[in-house]
Amino acid sequence: MGKTSCNHGIELPTIAAGRVRLRSLTEDDVPSLFEIFGDHEVVRYWGHSVLPDLAAARTLLEDIREHLAQKTLFQWGVEVNASGEIVGTCTLASLDFENRRAELGFALAKRFWFHGYMAEALPVLLSFAFGEMKLHRVWADTDPRNDRSIRVLERLGFRREGVLREHYLIHGESQDAVVYGLLNSDWRLDGHQ
Ligand SMILES: CC(C)(COP(=O)(O)OP(=O)(O)OC[C@H]1O[C@@H](n2cnc3c(N)ncnc32)[C@H](O)[C@@H]1OP(=O)(O)O)[C@@H](O)C(=O)NCCC(=O)NCCS
């Protein structure tokens, strides 16, 4: 997949998804990254700490680019067509091409929750992952208290596969992770292309 580019060797494709599109993140998106990952409510159930300032958001962008060059993580910005604003990101992480699997991640800035933007972005991303990228399995793990994330995964047809006990230290507290998985065959059986 992807086009070649002299800077990173690989570039993410832009993918249309209804009211939003998925596209590569650029320097101009650093303030949006800060709004998303600098919010305690957004990172509440994650093992990462909240971004403290714009400089940390810039470092995050550099990490995203570095991982893209290494083909270990593809992180798209979710841009609203009508406003051109980046409202969130979605990610294929832990990319393992040998086993044809990846870990799904997603986040929206708090003021864009309950608009259905991920509900539009993620089916298109999964069709790309199972289609063009030929992945066999996409999985996610989530904190059992993260109701919104669980709703997103279950709506997409992810199946609950098990619990990793005290897998994370979330802001100093041991916490289980619930593992969800979706196979290419599940996705096709559900009528997706
Ligand atoms: C997980 C997260 C992205 C979900 O956000 P969200 O807004 O609930 O998800 P969606 O964009 O799919 O929107 C769905 C909601 O919008 C509502 N909605 C409003 N207009 C809609 C529309 N036009 N189309 C679809 N849904 C719409 C839906 O009813 C649904 O709400 P409900 O679950 O109460 O029924 C968000 O809570 C988040 O960023 N959390 C922090 C990061 C995180 O924990 N990520 C998961 C890591 S595994």
Side-chain angles (χ1 to χ4, degrees):
M1 56 85 34
K3 301 173 282 180
T4 52
S5 112
C6 39
N7 293 331
H8 315 112
I10 183 169
E11 222 174 75
L12 295 178
T14 297
I15 313 175
R19 291 172 297 160
V20 298
R21 62 181 191 137
L22 308 183
R23 66 153 173 87
S24 290
L25 293 159
T26 72
E27 290 292 327
D28 292 344
D29 302 319
V30 165
S32 303
L33 285 174
F34 181 53
E35 178 179 357
I36 302 162
F37 299 108
D39 182 338
H40 286 277
E41 276 208 69
V42 173
V43 303
R44 178 166 168 209
Y45 296 120
W46 289 0
H48 318 276
S49 41
V50 67
L51 293 183
D53 49 32
L54 275 173
R58 198 161 289 115
T59 303
L60 173 64
L61 179 66
E62 282 163 18
D63 287 348
I64 290 169
R65 287 177 168 168
E66 188 70 37
H67 284 291
L68 174 63
Q70 293 164 2
K71 294 196 192 174
T72 49
L73 172 136
F74 295 167
Q75 186 157 3
W76 281 264
V78 178
E79 181 184 286
V80 173
N81 297 329
S83 64
E85 248 183 314
I86 289 287
V87 296
T89 73
C90 49
T91 307
L92 293 172
S94 313
L95 280 164
D96 180 339
F97 289 102
E98 199 172 350
N99 291 294
R100 291 200 280 132
R101 67 169 182 244
E103 178 185 1
L104 181 70
F106 42 86
L108 289 167
K110 183 73 202 296
R111 70 191 161 104
F112 298 108
W113 292 12
F114 302 102
H115 287 74
Y117 289 139
M118 269 309 153
E120 291 198 29
L122 292 178
V124 176
L125 178 61
L126 288 169
S127 286
F128 179 76
F130 289 130
E132 189 152 357
M133 286 177 69
K134 298 187 171 51
L135 295 185
H136 178 70
R137 166 180 166 79
V138 175
W139 61 278
D141 72 35
T142 187
D143 188 300
R145 299 166 299 178
N146 193 349
D147 299 338
R148 300 233 58 81
S149 167
I150 289 170
R151 283 169 80 92
V152 167
L153 291 167
E154 290 183 344
R155 275 194 191 115
L156 289 164
F158 276 77
R159 294 198 205 165
R160 186 183 162 116
E161 295 178 334
V163 175
L164 303 173
R165 294 179 309 143
E166 303 198 1
H167 191 63
Y168 290 109
L169 198 57
I170 310 263
H171 310 300
E173 185 196 344
S174 290
Q175 191 57 51
D176 296 347
V178 186
V179 178
Y180 281 85
L182 185 70
L183 302 183
N184 194 323
S185 52
D186 300 333
W187 189 245
R188 309 266 168 223
L189 263 181
D190 224 14
H192 298 282
Q193 292 302 310

